[in-house]
Amino acid sequence: FFIETSGSGSLSYRQSCAVESLALHNQNLTVYVLFVNVQINSSVITLQKLRGKYGNIRLISINLDDYMAGTALEYWYHCIHWKKGPYHVNNLSNGLRLLTLAKYGGYYFDLDFVFVRSLTYYRNFVAAQDNYDVNNGVIHAELKSPIIELAMPNFVDNFSPWVWGHNGPTLIYRVLKNWCNVDNVKSMDSASCRGFNILPRESFFPVHYTDVKELFIQRMENETEAMPDWLTDTVVGVHTWNKISKSQPIYKSARQDYARLVRDNCP
């Protein structure tokens, strides 16, 4: 699942790359893109190309009143002032990813990844973003996963509209520390976490957010065409930190690491 919460009814080129690269490398998965409270703009050429080329992509518009009805988030949605504060779109996304996995199980991904290989080997996981934090931008949970069932009431009971990350990555970290009975990321493994996995940073966050501009540097023409050292066989997807990098320009024929990733993985 991907979830588009901005209300645009379409996908940007970068978002489309996330969807395409996942569908390209995982043709045995059905890739759902959920558009929230908006009609999908089916006249957009990008969406037409995605649906025309990849039979495993589904674009679906959801009505939040219906989607929340009868769930653990219904009270939060109707009765808590979640639209306060500067992060309400992000907080809606944080809640919806948990709700979607509670409803259906499966994979959730943010729309600012470029996937470079198949990922279906990995199940029941989140990924570390560094030695100190996990990130909720990538999650797999089977239906009725105890992690998701713990996270849902935690989201409602401890909701804060004012603190960036409190209802997202920090929430998952709170739940995992309790579930795994450890107090740091380095101590979280499949044994201590009873079958849930915390994948290493290199799997989905090989470029730290403090280094993300490196993805968009225009390389010199005489520089090697070899991909960067961090793009190893352990990398499944590359998170591009859209909140930080969205203003970085990209060009179709650029000698940027990002542009080269795009040419290979979302043609």
Side-chain angles (χ1 to χ4, degrees):
F1 297 96
F2 297 100
I3 305 177
E4 213 299 309
T5 53
S6 74
S8 73
S10 184
L11 297 173
S12 70
Y13 285 120
R14 296 197 198 192
Q15 291 174 325
S16 298
C17 180
V19 175
E20 180 179 8
S21 60
L22 184 66
L24 174 69
H25 292 298
N26 300 273
Q27 297 186 25
N28 57 330
L29 290 182
T30 303
V31 179
Y32 292 95
V33 186
L34 307 183
F35 293 82
V36 175
N37 279 358
V38 68
Q39 183 175 351
I40 298 169
N41 188 349
S42 57
S43 66
V44 174
I45 297 299
T46 307
L47 298 187
Q48 292 178 4
K49 286 186 175 182
L50 284 176
R51 285 199 283 201
K53 185 170 182 179
Y54 298 94
N56 57 335
I57 292 176
R58 306 285 187 273
L59 308 179
I60 298 176
S61 178
I62 62 171
N63 176 279
L64 280 186
D65 287 349
D66 297 337
Y67 205 70
M68 297 283 187
T71 73
L73 293 192
E74 185 176 24
Y75 173 83
W76 172 84
Y77 177 64
H78 288 293
C79 302
I80 293 178
H81 298 301
W82 61 270
K83 291 185 180 179
K84 287 185 175 180
Y87 310 124
H88 62 278
V89 174
N90 179 257
N91 286 327
L92 177 61
S93 176
N94 285 326
L96 281 175
R97 69 192 66 181
L98 298 176
L99 178 57
T100 299
L101 295 181
K103 281 175 173 281
Y104 306 112
Y107 296 89
Y108 166 82
F109 298 107
D110 282 349
L111 278 161
D112 54 354
F113 278 93
V114 181
F115 299 93
V116 300
R117 57 177 46 87
S118 174
L119 52 79
T120 52
Y121 172 80
Y122 303 96
R123 301 182 65 82
N124 294 308
F125 70 85
V126 294
Q129 70 175 41
D130 52 36
N131 291 331
Y132 308 101
D133 294 295
V134 297
N135 194 293
N136 70 332
V138 47
I139 309 172
H140 180 271
E142 294 175 352
L143 192 61
K144 299 191 180 301
S145 163
I147 299 299
I148 302 301
E149 292 187 348
L150 286 169
M152 292 275 282
N154 196 306
F155 178 87
V156 176
D157 294 342
N158 296 292
F159 183 76
S160 172
W162 306 107
V163 182
W164 174 260
H166 177 82
N167 313 298
T170 305
L171 162 69
I172 294 295
Y173 196 19
R174 289 196 303 268
V175 170
L176 285 174
K177 284 193 288 187
N178 181 58
W179 175 256
C180 306
N181 196 29
V182 298
D183 61 1
N184 62 81
V185 173
K186 292 180 180 179
S187 299
M188 293 178 179
D189 55 34
S190 182
S192 65
C193 296
R194 292 177 274 172
F196 200 78
N197 303 286
I198 290 73
L199 300 184
R201 175 187 63 80
E202 293 80 7
S203 58
F204 289 96
F205 300 94
V207 179
H208 196 260
Y209 66 85
T210 56
D211 299 320
V212 70
K213 288 185 178 180
E214 292 288 320
L215 286 173
F216 300 92
I217 292 174
Q218 178 77 344
R219 305 295 180 185
M220 298 296 291
E221 191 168 0
N222 60 355
E223 285 191 89
T224 176
E225 281 298 308
M227 289 303 286
D229 293 341
W230 52 261
L231 192 62
T232 67
D233 290 342
T234 61
V235 176
V236 181
V238 181
H239 190 239
T240 63
W241 305 100
N242 182 66
K243 183 176 172 60
I244 302 172
S245 70
K246 61 186 177 183
S247 63
Q248 296 291 324
I250 52 174
Y251 306 99
K252 190 170 185 179
S253 300
R255 295 183 300 276
Q256 300 164 305
D257 291 342
Y258 178 85
R260 293 158 71 189
L261 283 171
V262 165
R263 286 195 291 271
D264 290 342
N265 298 290
C266 45

